[in-house]
Amino acid sequence: MNLVDYLKRLLLPSFRSKRFLLDQAHFELTSFQGDVSDWMQKYPINDDNVEIHLALAELFRRRGEFDKAVAVHETIANAQLSDYQEEDLLLEIAQDYYAAGILGHAEILLERVLQDSDPERSKVAFRLWLSILEREQEWGKAIALVEQFGQTGSGGIRLVNLYCEYALELKSLGELSSLTKVLKKARKLTLGVRASLISAEVSTSQNRLKESIKYYRDVLIRDPLRSDLVLPSLKHLSTVTKTNPALAEFLKGLYQIQPSVRILEALVEIGIEMDSDYWIAEVELHAKEGRSKKVFDHWLSGIGGFDSHARYVVSELVQSRSLMRLDRHKCFQCGFQTDQMIWQCPQCEGWETLYSRYELKIGQQISKQR
């Protein structure tokens, strides 16, 4: 076994072997403190020792010494070794720049790789470049990149949310004509619900209230777990447009799919008749769980045996346990949780993967019963 094969076997991400032989001397790379220029002058890069230099560059990157990592990778590239293509080393240098936050330099190198390399290397360059544009919030450029060089998986929910982020940017700039076109493109992909939510908000701001209601209903039809985001606005719009009876019928059907206390709470607020055995049982069930003060108060008003003080004390206790205070948002892919609703998970970077923890649990229970 030659030196290169030996090192390839040993050089795992954790550097399982800490000591490396080079010109009859042993070096502990994981504690390297020397001058990188002196090192490379003393040990010029060749086919036999390149793996050690690559390990050294990786070490510098992990330690945050990005200038040293770039210096080593550039020296390897200039050595023009037979077993290492320029595009591979350009990718390494681009990752050094990315880790260092020097994003402009990384983009220049990634564009070269993306345009000149084989599909596998281009895929790596594309993903890294797209991550850079998302990090910089360059949404227009990110969309152009996907539309020109789109890879598998980039044209789905990720592209929808790039459109959505760009739409919010256009909205803040008051560019309503461009905003409408971008949202239309996003909705055409028919993935996720965020585009419909933003469209509803835009329609409301332009006083197209019936159109807003249509978009909000579309969200709940395609994703009933989003009731926490939709119902407050939908209830308000239905009251303003005097379409509460139609909303009540819609929510009754939705409740059969997603029996959430939020939907039941909306039905209570609308004031529909709740005197059938089915609705009486549903109100009692959710009242005893104590997730909604309004549902609990509605149930309490239908039973006797409580004086006014007792009603107040119990109602306040329910309020302290309500969803409004205790619910969080959870990523169904990686389990990340946060108090605030966000559209991209900071842990797994998935788009539209965070839901109300309560709604997610209800949805999972329903799925198991089917």
Side-chain angles (χ1 to χ4, degrees), residues 93-110:
I93 298 170
Q95 290 184 62
D96 294 336
Y97 283 134
Y98 177 70
I102 309 174
L103 305 182
H105 284 54
E107 286 187 64
I108 293 171
L109 298 178
L110 292 171

Side-chain angles (χ1 to χ4, degrees), residues 132-144:
I132 288 173
L133 293 174
E134 288 179 342
R135 180 172 165 180
E136 291 185 305
Q137 299 186 357
E138 292 281 358
W139 308 116
K141 289 183 179 180
I143 291 169

Side-chain angles (χ1 to χ4, degrees), residues 12-15 56-66 69:
L12 299 177
S14 59
F15 296 150
L56 185 61
E58 176 67 16
L59 173 67
F60 287 143
R61 185 190 292 168
R62 292 185 181 189
R63 294 200 320 206
E65 299 174 274
F66 305 111

Side-chain angles (χ1 to χ4, degrees), residues 10 26 37 87 123 125 145 176 225 227 236 281 290:
L10 293 178
H26 284 84
S37 299
E87 290 84 355
K123 186 182 296 184
L145 177 66
L176 299 183
L225 276 66
S227 61
H236 172 72

Side-chain angles (χ1 to χ4, degrees), residues 284-300:
E284 182 176 1
L285 173 66
H286 285 291
K288 290 180 178 179
E289 288 182 351
R291 299 298 186 185
S292 166
K293 183 177 183 297
K294 291 178 181 177
V295 171
F296 182 83
D297 287 344
H298 180 80
W299 172 74
L300 202 60

Side-chain angles (χ1 to χ4, degrees), residues 87 91 94 106 109-115 117 119-132 145 151:
E87 290 84 355
L91 281 172
L109 298 178
L110 292 171
E111 184 174 9
R112 287 175 57 186
V113 177
L114 188 57
Q115 293 179 341
S117 296
E120 285 304 312
R121 293 182 179 86
S122 295
K123 186 182 296 184
V124 174
F126 172 83
R127 289 174 178 171
L128 183 55
W129 195 357
L130 187 54
S131 294
I132 288 173
L145 177 66
Q151 306 287 337

Side-chain angles (χ1 to χ4, degrees), residues 14 95 115 138 179 201 235 271 277 281 289 307 317 320:
S14 59
Q95 290 184 62
Q115 293 179 341
E138 292 281 358
L179 166 64
E201 293 167 1
K235 287 184 295 185
D277 291 342
E289 288 182 351
D307 60 32
L317 178 61
S320 69

Side-chain angles (χ1 to χ4, degrees), residues 151-213:
Q151 306 287 337
T152 302
S154 63
I157 195 68
R158 191 173 192 175
L159 180 57
V160 168
N161 278 275
L162 293 178
Y163 280 132
C164 288
E165 294 289 348
Y166 190 38
L168 292 176
E169 181 181 309
L170 293 171
K171 183 182 177 182
S172 68
L173 296 173
E175 298 181 16
L176 299 183
S177 177
S178 298
L179 166 64
T180 301
K181 293 178 182 177
V182 170
L183 286 175
K184 186 176 181 180
K185 286 184 177 181
R187 292 195 305 272
K188 276 187 176 181
L189 293 175
T190 64
L191 294 168
V193 297
R194 192 181 179 197
S196 292
L197 274 173
I198 297 175
S199 298
E201 293 167 1
V202 171
S203 296
T204 300
S205 68
Q206 297 173 348
N207 205 34
R208 302 199 305 270
L209 304 187
K210 290 186 177 180
E211 185 177 272
S212 300
I213 291 173

